[in-house]
Amino acid sequence: MKSIGWCTPLLLLATACLDPGVPTLVTGDWGGPHLGLVATVSGATLEYDCAEGRIAGPIRPDDGGRFLVTGEHFPGHGGPIRIGDPVERLPASYLGTVRGNTMTVTVTLTDSNQTLGTFTLVRGASPHVFKCL
């Protein structure tokens, strides 16, 4: 009977440590300046100013809201996309945090270690991206 007395406070303490603002899986539409992200249970698509991206797997933040996922980045160019034009695919990492309705994500091209930027997104907000002309 004494063990039940000890379990209850420990269970309450463990539950109090979970942050209700951190999802176990990121889904839905997220938007902000220069980036829009649509996340599903199987991955995500990204639309930047004059570029696109893809994340091949789910975004699952840790208990602190941090995540690191990999995918591809597709640089765009001005003018029309012609049939048969080769598509440039660059490996990329997406490092970020999510709390409540706000996500911050840093995009880095892994081959060159070039950081494309850090973006702040809001769940349900429309992205503000510029199209190549």
Side-chain angles (χ1 to χ4, degrees):
M1 199 65 162
K2 285 186 177 183
S3 63
I4 293 175
W6 282 100
C7 290
T8 302
L10 290 176
L11 181 61
L12 290 174
L13 181 61
T15 304
C17 293
L18 298 176
D19 187 342
V22 176
T24 57
L25 176 67
V26 174
T27 58
D29 297 341
W30 298 74
H34 312 290
L35 180 64
L37 182 144
V38 177
T40 68
V41 297
S42 59
T45 56
L46 300 96
E47 182 180 11
Y48 311 85
D49 294 343
C50 201
E52 295 178 9
R54 184 175 348 177
I55 297 170
I59 302 172
R60 295 188 184 278
D62 66 13
D63 292 342
R66 297 172 299 273
F67 63 86
L68 173 61
V69 292
T70 58
E72 296 177 306
H73 175 78
F74 307 98
H77 59 77
I81 298 172
R82 296 183 190 345
I83 295 174
D85 275 356
V87 176
E88 187 175 12
R89 298 171 185 266
L90 303 173
S93 68
Y94 301 89
L95 173 68
T97 58
V98 60
R99 289 216 182 255
N101 291 325
T102 303
M103 177 191 306
T104 302
V105 61
T106 300
V107 181
T108 303
L109 301 179
T110 55
D111 280 355
S112 63
N113 204 30
Q114 176 188 3
T115 299
L116 299 180
T118 299
F119 306 91
T120 300
L121 308 174
V122 175
R123 182 192 321 263
S126 296
H128 303 281
V129 296
F130 299 98
K131 295 294 184 182
C132 292
L133 299 176

